[in-house]
Amino acid sequence: MGAHREHGVDVEELTVADAPQVAALESVTFSDYPQTQATYREPLTEAGAAGLFADGRVFGIRRNGQLIAVTATSAQGDLTETHFTSVHPDHRRQGLATVVKAASILANADAGHTWFGTGGAGTNAGSIGMNEAVGYEITETWHTLVPPRSDDRLPS
Ligand SMILES: CC(C)(COP(=O)(O)OP(=O)(O)OC[C@H]1O[C@@H](n2cnc3c(N)ncnc32)[C@H](O)[C@@H]1OP(=O)(O)O)[C@@H](O)C(=O)NCCC(=O)NCCS
């Protein structure tokens, strides 16, 4: 697939040869993913990054040869699910997450896919903003219940 050009930004489909760059970008962004019960995340190794290409498709944006944005999807039955999207901290709030994710969805739509899903922590304003900009709607939410601390209990 050729590169998409949207808003003056080239989005390209990455290949397994890019797995080390994907892993390097994820090592920079890892601490910015909210770790919640429903969105727990392990660090992405190079082998894990290579596995993304075996299971699905990965799109990215480079600046000066450096990978600065990435998004990964795979088909799970009829559903095309985005595993993650990230942007290097030095390049955020420029619409790059929205652009790379939108290009990935369009490429998958071009390939005949019609049903798309994505997840994210409710506390992750960047994730929610990106997904709303791409056009996702929130259809379900997960709530984690924890027992009250003893000093939160009402007197009996
Ligand atoms: C989430 C993330 C990918 C957003 O990347 P980005 O390129 O900065 O996002 P965009 O510029 O496309 O932002 C789109 C919209 O999201 C919202 N948004 C983005 N970052 C935000 C933030 N830190 N706080 C509040 N809103 C935010 C805004 O509404 C923004 O639109 P605007 O800039 O016109 O107001 C980036 O912060 C990141 O890599 N975080 C760590 C990884 C992660 O949490 N990924 C998402 C879960 S898979």
Side-chain angles (χ1 to χ4, degrees), residues 72-142:
T73 60
S74 70
Q76 300 174 12
D78 290 339
L79 179 68
T80 300
E81 179 79 22
T82 298
H83 296 303
F84 65 89
T85 304
S86 75
V87 173
H88 189 285
D90 293 346
H91 300 272
R92 290 184 184 158
R93 299 308 292 265
Q94 300 172 31
L96 298 182
T98 304
V99 167
V100 76
K101 191 162 186 172
S104 157
I105 300 309
L106 288 172
N108 279 294
D110 281 350
H113 297 275
T114 56
W115 189 26
F116 296 90
T118 196
T123 53
N124 193 344
S127 176
I128 291 172
M130 161 187 74
N131 288 330
E132 285 179 345
V134 170
Y136 284 93
E137 292 175 10
I138 297 173
T139 55
E140 54 213 0
T141 57
W142 278 260

Side-chain angles (χ1 to χ4, degrees), residues 58-79:
V58 185
F59 291 81
I61 298 170
R62 288 184 230 267
R63 272 189 186 153
N64 301 319
Q66 183 194 1
L67 188 68
I68 57 159
V70 67
T71 191
T73 60
S74 70
Q76 300 174 12
D78 290 339
L79 179 68

